[in-house]
Amino acid sequence: MTCVYLSSVTPALARYQNAVYSAIQGHSDYFCVRLDEFTDAQFDSLCSKLESEGGVFIFILGEQYGMVHTPSVKSYPERQYEAAVKANALRFVYFVEEEL
């Protein structure tokens, strides 16, 4: 079973994230993990695990940068993308126009 990591920059994109999550969970060969449900410590542990396991990443991005992980100056989605690159994981990036 392939793990699909789902990332989004803002709760305003929840309807898109929920639709993708439902579609993936309905497929017997994939398991979806919502990255926005991780705490800082859990995500840091996951990043090191990803280097050996890989997986598929789906990023749903909008007009906002995303919440910044302190003490880092990078947003969670940016850090997640960097982890995906480092793991050489397959990445899909979707841009959605947000209604601000």
Side-chain angles (χ1 to χ4, degrees):
M1 187 175 289
T2 301
C3 190
V4 178
Y5 299 97
L6 181 58
S7 177
S8 181
V9 293
T10 175
L13 301 176
R15 68 178 184 257
Y16 301 106
Q17 187 181 35
N18 291 337
V20 171
Y21 181 83
S22 294
I24 294 168
Q25 286 299 90
H27 197 287
S28 61
D29 293 334
Y30 297 94
F31 175 76
C32 189
V33 174
R34 293 177 189 245
L35 291 173
D36 56 351
E37 294 178 356
F38 281 70
T39 65
D40 291 345
Q42 290 171 327
F43 180 70
D44 290 338
S45 296
L46 176 66
C47 285
S48 58
K49 182 180 176 184
L50 290 173
E51 291 179 41
S52 61
E53 294 184 9
V56 176
F57 281 76
I58 298 176
F59 296 90
I60 302 172
L61 305 177
E63 298 168 353
Q64 298 182 27
Y65 177 64
M67 191 168 100
V68 173
H69 170 81
T70 49
S72 173
V73 295
K74 297 178 181 178
S75 71
Y76 283 105
E78 184 174 356
R79 292 181 63 230
Q80 293 161 358
Y81 185 82
E82 288 176 348
V85 169
K86 193 171 185 179
N88 199 29
L90 184 60
R91 300 170 298 275
F92 296 94
V93 180
Y94 298 95
F95 294 96
V96 178
E97 184 176 331
E98 294 179 57
E99 297 176 21
L100 301 177

